[in-house]
């Protein structure tokens, strides 16, 4: 028996938190920590928290209550358990966490987790350390590389943070406060990370940023590169077959990025472009800085460049002051755009945001009713989109074993899960398939050539 230490990382919230959790795991692996899926055999528990919507902090405190009991049981057995809180609740609440939950040994923010090993060490001598600085150094420079042998064992897809923070200050949103100002990583670092991932077998990267299409990183030529240029460069990396990016703001959807969707076969035809609301009055109150009509025109331009693109969005119902008429504008916008998938939420007041102090709160039952109607419409559109796939032929990336023996699950270019019979060794392959059936959000397919000649086939391609 070795005395390997084990860390259990629980991540809440967005894809960037998933990415951060992975990087924290790698930083700890360099210190001899292995990851475990069970809190029971962990020596270190790390909660990587989310602050975007209501009750996030309360959920963290109740989870910490359970962990406190576990820690006491351990103590009785003479074994230690370290407890850390990371992520956006850590950033927002800081010292308050160690005051309210003395079981917490350390608190670490989203910009300082490269100091996790040192922090862990310090907290052993003096529990209750808090590091939520936005340090001068770049955390990515201080983190270990991504492909040291034994450091990661992963599937063929990966997230890659290219941009963090947000300068948009939508009136409802905590992100500009928890993640800070918009910062883009230099192109060379991103390329190096993508090359490492490709060398480790990754075939698809999803570029992450709170406002990813505002990316403006320093290029190797000393110039500022935008996201489109970065995508062209990433497309040259051997082995990388697919590129995705999320999340985008309509104002930063530039002509060059739209052209990249037209020209780059590696850039997948799926776009998450939140609009939040369809009423100009509410959009203005949200500080979104565009009108509903401008969004609709933008979608038309994107579709002209890439006709088959699948659109996704985020919606908030019940923003302060939203009337029935405002809500009907949102429904109308959804009817006009037609989404392949979408996320929708009831507005929740977030402390410290401009909308939080506003009167005219929409009553809870009204929010509930609006959300139900909106989700019914969005689900109808998603079902229709999924059904329209039957008989179509496209490439999928085989990602993981399926639910049944002999089955694998992959993703369509439009991000839908696709199930088919294929050998385990095919994981990581890009395979041309024809869709035979659809159930809920999942598609079923067969490799091209194995479907009977009668099956209708519609090739999916770009505008060219
Ligand atoms: N209330 C409800 N939804 C919110 N979102 C962000 N802040 C709030 C809030 N205060 C939603 C937005 C955003 C998504 C990530 O979460 O729709 O795009
Ligand atoms: Fe929040 Fe997105 Fe608005 Fe930035 S653009 S403030 S991350 S909702």
């Amino acid at each position: 028996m070795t005395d390997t230490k084990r860390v259990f990382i629980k991540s809440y919230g967005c894809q960037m938190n998933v990415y951060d959790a992975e990087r924290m795991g790698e930083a700890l692996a360099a210190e001899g920590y292995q990851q475990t899926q069970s809190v029971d055999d962990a020596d270190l528990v790390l909660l990587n928290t989310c602050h975007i919507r209501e009750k996030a902090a309360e959920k963290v405190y109740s989870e910490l209550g359970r962990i406190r009991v576990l820690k006491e049981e351990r103590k009785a057995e003479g074994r230690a358990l370290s407890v850390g809180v990371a992520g956006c609740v850590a950033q927002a609440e800081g010292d308050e966490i160690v005051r309210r939950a003395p079981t917490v040994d350390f608190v670490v923010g989203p910009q300082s987790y490269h100091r996790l090993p040192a922090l862990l060490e310090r907290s052993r001598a003096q529990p209750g350390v808090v590091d939520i600085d936005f340090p001068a150094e770049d955390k990515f420079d201080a983190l270990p590389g991504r492909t040291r042998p034994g450091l990661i064992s992963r599937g063929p897809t990966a997230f890659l943070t290219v941009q963090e923070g947000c300068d948009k200050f939508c009136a409802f949103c905590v992100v500009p406060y928890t993640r800070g100002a918009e910062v883009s990583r230099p192109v060379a670092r991103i390329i190096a990370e993508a090359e490492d991932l490709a060398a480790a077998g990754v075939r698809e990267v999803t570029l992450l940023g709170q406002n990813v299409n505002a990316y403006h990183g320093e290029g190797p030529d000393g110039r500022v590169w935008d996201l489109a240029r970065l995508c062209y460069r990433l497309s040259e990396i051997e082995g990388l077959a697919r590129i995705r990016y999320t999340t985008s703001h309509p104002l930063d959807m530039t002509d060059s990025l739209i052209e990249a969707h037209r020209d780059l076969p590696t850039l997948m035809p799926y776009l998450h472009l939140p609009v939040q609301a369809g009423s100009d009055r509410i959009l203005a109150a949200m500080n979104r800085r565009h009108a509903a009509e401008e969004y609709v025109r933008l979608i038309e331009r994107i579709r002209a460049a890439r006709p088959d693109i699948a659109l996704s969005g985020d919606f908030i119902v019940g923003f302060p002051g939203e009337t029935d008429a405002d809500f009907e504008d949102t429904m109308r916008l959804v009817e006009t755009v037609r989404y392949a998938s979408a996320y929708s939420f009831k507005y929740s007041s977030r402390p410290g945001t401009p909308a939080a102090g506003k009167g005219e709160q929409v009553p809870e039952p009204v929010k509930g009713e609006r959300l139900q109607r909106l989700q019914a419409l969005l689900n109808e559109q998603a079902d229709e989109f999924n059904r329209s796939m039957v008989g179509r032929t496209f490439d999928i990336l085989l990602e993981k074993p399926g639910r049944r023996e002999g089955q694998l699950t992959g993703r369509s270019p439009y991000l839908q899960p696709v199930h088919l019979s294929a050998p385990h060794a095919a994981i990581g392959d890009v395979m041309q398939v024809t869709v035979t059936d659809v159930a809920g959000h999942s598609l079923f397919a067969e490799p091209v050539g194995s479907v009977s000649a009668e099956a209708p086939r519609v090739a999916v391609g770009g505008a060219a």
Side-chain angles (χ1 to χ4, degrees), residues 45-216:
V45 175
L46 201 51
L47 301 182
N48 191 25
T49 61
C50 170
H51 203 234
I52 196 101
R53 279 178 296 274
E54 212 171 13
K55 300 200 182 95
E58 289 316 309
K59 269 189 230 153
V60 173
Y61 286 115
S62 64
E63 181 81 33
L64 287 170
R66 285 190 288 275
I67 292 169
R68 177 174 56 84
V69 176
L70 183 70
K71 191 168 172 173
E72 278 161 11
E73 284 168 10
R74 287 285 185 85
K75 204 169 169 190
E77 295 163 9
R79 271 178 73 197
L81 178 67
S82 294
V83 180
V85 177
C88 290
V89 175
Q91 190 64 45
E93 304 256 309
D95 295 316
E96 177 69 14
I97 296 178
V98 287
R99 255 201 308 277
R100 261 184 79 175
T103 196
V104 171
D105 295 289
F106 64 90
V107 173
V108 63
Q111 300 309 339
S112 47
Y113 65 73
H114 55 299
R115 302 201 283 224
L116 193 50
L119 209 56
L120 186 57
E121 195 56 46
R122 266 171 57 205
S123 73
R124 288 214 176 91
Q126 188 196 22
V129 257
V130 175
D131 182 352
I132 53 169
D133 291 351
F134 284 63
E137 76 271 14
D138 181 348
K139 68 172 178 254
F140 295 113
D141 290 345
L143 286 164
R146 308 211 63 193
T147 54
R148 281 199 283 154
L151 207 59
I152 51 170
S153 84
R154 54 162 52 264
T157 63
F159 293 131
L160 202 178
T161 293
V162 302
Q163 178 277 332
E164 272 187 274
C166 184
D167 293 342
K168 290 285 187 294
F169 291 92
C170 298
F172 50 80
C173 186
V174 289
V175 165
Y177 312 98
T178 56
R179 290 277 174 171
E182 215 176 276
V183 178
S184 295
R185 293 178 69 190
V187 172
R189 307 275 162 73
I190 295 165
I191 300 301
E193 190 170 328
E195 283 173 347
D196 278 356
L197 289 167
V202 167
R203 308 295 315 276
E204 172 183 301
V205 287
T206 301
L207 310 178
L208 298 181
Q210 268 84 33
N211 192 3
V212 73
N213 61 344
Y215 176 84
H216 57 284

Side-chain angles (χ1 to χ4, degrees), residues 157-427:
T157 63
F159 293 131
L160 202 178
T161 293
V162 302
Q163 178 277 332
E164 272 187 274
C166 184
D167 293 342
K168 290 285 187 294
F169 291 92
C170 298
F172 50 80
C173 186
V174 289
V175 165
Y177 312 98
T178 56
R179 290 277 174 171
E182 215 176 276
V183 178
S184 295
R185 293 178 69 190
V187 172
R189 307 275 162 73
I190 295 165
I191 300 301
E193 190 170 328
E195 283 173 347
D196 278 356
L197 289 167
V202 167
R203 308 295 315 276
E204 172 183 301
V205 287
T206 301
L207 310 178
L208 298 181
Q210 268 84 33
N211 192 3
V212 73
N213 61 344
Y215 176 84
H216 57 284
E218 185 194 333
D221 53 2
R223 293 225 161 111
V224 173
W225 284 31
D226 66 2
L227 187 67
R229 188 145 184 217
L230 181 66
C231 288
Y232 281 95
R233 176 65 186 85
L234 286 167
S235 294
E236 292 167 10
I237 295 177
E238 190 153 339
L240 268 195
R242 294 176 150 198
I243 300 167
R244 302 181 185 276
Y245 62 90
T246 198
T247 286
S248 299
H249 191 289
L251 284 189
D252 296 308
M253 206 63 218
T254 57
D255 289 344
S256 60
L257 194 52
I258 296 173
E259 281 159 21
H261 275 287
R262 182 192 64 199
D263 297 338
L264 270 182
T266 43
L267 193 54
M268 289 296 101
Y270 175 94
L271 178 63
H272 185 64
L273 195 63
V275 66
Q276 314 292 359
S279 143
D280 288 344
R281 221 173 54 81
I282 295 298
L283 285 169
M286 286 177 163
N287 191 31
R288 294 290 294 180
R289 297 189 257 172
H290 67 76
E293 187 59 25
E294 287 167 304
Y295 179 83
V296 171
R297 296 277 96 83
L298 173 62
I299 298 294
E300 282 169 3
R301 280 169 47 225
I302 296 165
R303 281 192 167 133
R306 181 77 208 219
D308 68 326
I309 200 158
L311 285 166
S312 158
D314 290 341
F315 295 89
I316 295 177
V317 300
F319 185 80
E322 186 187 70
T323 63
D324 283 342
D326 291 322
F327 174 67
E328 294 308 328
D329 286 344
T330 299
M331 293 291 279
R332 226 177 343 264
L333 179 137
V334 172
E335 291 278 14
T336 307
V337 172
R338 307 207 72 78
Y339 288 89
S341 71
Y343 304 87
S344 45
F345 314 97
K346 287 188 219 171
Y347 169 73
S348 69
S349 173
R350 310 306 293 124
T353 59
K358 287 208 180 149
E360 330 160 63
Q361 297 290 329
V362 175
E364 224 19 64
V366 176
K367 283 187 200 169
E369 214 174 286
R370 288 179 188 167
L371 188 65
Q372 232 173 23
R373 276 189 58 207
L374 177 61
Q375 290 186 337
L377 177 60
L378 290 166
N379 283 338
E380 204 181 287
Q381 294 189 351
D383 286 347
E384 188 186 320
F385 181 75
N386 289 332
R387 279 197 307 270
S388 76
M389 294 290 132
V390 176
R392 289 175 75 167
T393 294
F394 46 60
D395 285 347
I396 65 169
L397 171 61
L398 295 167
E399 292 185 10
K400 56 184 184 199
R403 247 174 276 148
R404 302 224 185 91
E405 189 72 26
Q407 252 191 7
L408 295 184
T409 300
R411 292 253 180 205
S412 75
Y414 315 106
L415 209 60
Q416 298 140 303
V418 184
H419 309 290
L420 84 171
S421 298
H424 192 274
I427 290 178

